[in-house]
Amino acid sequence: FISPLELTGEGGEPVQAMAVYVHDLSEQQRLERMREDFVANASHELRTPLASLTGMIETLQGPAREDAKTRDQFLALMREQADRMKRLTDSLLSLSRIEMRSHVRPTEIIDCAEITRYAVEMTRGIADEANVTLELAVAEETLPIRGDSDEMVQVLNNLIENAVKYGSEGGRVLIGAAREDTVSGPVVAMSVQDFGKGVPPEHVPRLTERFYRVDIEESRARRGTGLGLAIVKHIINRHRGRLTVRSQLGAGSTFTVRIPLAEVPEPVSRPD
Ligand code: ADP
């Protein structure tokens, strides 16, 4: 390691430059480490179902060749593992597409009231299966933002699906969308509240990390990939928004997304 003091240049100011350099380097190292961790995690997540598929194929080719019952059972399990790999590769693709666009601001004006209603309709099937009731409270007015409607639907879908997965069984999930005035100006606030087990406070800051899960077995059992909230975070960042999580153990969680409200020009009223 080079000590900053040894790096004095022409006018002595390189000392300061060195400080910046050291900072940049560690930031670069941090990003590189994150990338390596991500690749290692993704490979591991894909190899697990793959190994189990290979094992079952070998059993079917060998010992269980003539056993119809085992074959049916294994085929069902193989289907599950293949579905899991599909979910994972779909999420990885989503994440990478969003990351590629991360520096491009969405320009289109979209209505979050409509998007919230749409996302709730899309997730009703999943909620019904889990015997969860989705309750919607959306402002009557339009809630314009500059955004990408597919991405915003995905944000709400991921949050609603999580609320259904980790909420209370047979319980309710409340979904809201309204205008809010904040110190940094008017925003559209969309929230998803469940009454499930909640998130232990020490885990909250890490929830949006890729592959971070409070309980990996539970996430697997509920068809989680550990990428849902990472995708949510990336989309919200691209929209210059914020995600807040309020959670109480045993009482439930509220995930709220706030995106700056867009200025929409007043429709020009034409004199008759
Ligand atoms: P997953 O695919 O595992 O659900 P996410 O990125 O969507 O991945 O969420 C990360 C983790 O955050 C989950 O595994 C779960 O432990 C926790 N989590 C997310 N939403 C909730 C919620 N509504 N209530 C409790 N825990 C949650």
Side-chain angles (χ1 to χ4, degrees), residues 10-220:
E10 288 158 31
E13 71 290 330
V15 171
Q16 214 181 353
M18 181 62 188
V20 173
Y21 174 69
V22 168
H23 171 78
D24 281 354
L25 191 68
S26 59
E27 177 63 11
Q28 210 177 327
Q29 277 170 342
R30 197 183 64 84
L31 289 175
E32 180 59 18
R33 164 72 74 76
M34 267 174 62
R35 200 188 61 80
E36 283 169 6
D37 284 353
F38 174 61
V39 173
N41 278 328
S43 316
H44 176 77
E45 293 288 333
L46 282 168
R47 285 177 76 151
T48 313
L50 198 56
S52 103
L53 274 172
T54 312
M56 287 188 276
I57 290 170
E58 280 167 5
T59 312
L60 287 180
Q61 285 174 325
R65 189 182 276 274
E66 310 296 339
D67 180 348
K69 200 168 152 225
T70 310
R71 192 184 56 216
D72 288 350
Q73 196 188 352
F74 271 38
L75 283 174
L77 291 170
M78 287 165 75
R79 176 68 206 245
E80 248 172 57
Q81 297 301 330
D83 287 347
R84 183 171 153 200
M85 293 182 75
K86 168 91 169 68
R87 280 195 299 276
L88 193 63
T89 46
D90 283 351
S91 294
L92 285 168
L93 257 178
S94 258
L95 194 60
S96 121
R97 287 209 188 101
I98 296 156
E99 268 185 333
M100 268 189 308
R101 302 193 280 256
S102 64
H103 55 283
V104 188
R105 299 276 158 238
T107 52
E108 205 184 322
I109 301 271
I110 57 171
D111 175 17
C112 287
E114 199 184 309
I115 281 175
T116 308
R117 285 188 211 104
Y118 180 72
V120 168
E121 286 324 308
M122 269 185 82
T123 42
R124 242 186 234 293
I126 294 170
D128 285 347
E129 266 174 43
N131 195 24
V132 168
T133 314
L134 302 183
E135 294 179 16
L136 178 66
V138 176
E140 292 290 328
E141 57 183 333
T142 57
L143 301 169
I145 62 164
R146 287 195 185 274
D148 178 306
S149 48
D150 289 343
E151 288 186 8
M152 287 311 298
V153 167
Q154 190 170 11
V155 163
L156 286 164
N157 277 358
N158 289 4
L159 295 178
I160 298 170
E161 282 177 23
N162 279 352
V164 170
K165 285 194 288 192
Y166 306 109
S168 58
E169 276 189 53
R172 300 184 303 151
V173 168
L174 313 183
I175 301 111
R179 188 195 149 112
E180 234 181 58
D181 286 306
T182 70
V183 280
S184 44
V187 299
V188 173
M190 287 160 277
S191 62
V192 178
Q193 180 176 14
D194 68 65
F195 302 90
K197 58 201 275 191
V199 183
E202 68 274 21
H203 292 277
V204 171
R206 300 195 59 188
L207 288 185
T208 58
E209 287 176 22
R210 298 153 171 186
F211 295 117
Y212 192 84
R213 284 162 283 195
V214 175
D215 178 340
I216 192 156
E217 290 310 322
E218 186 188 27
S219 158
R220 287 243 169 89

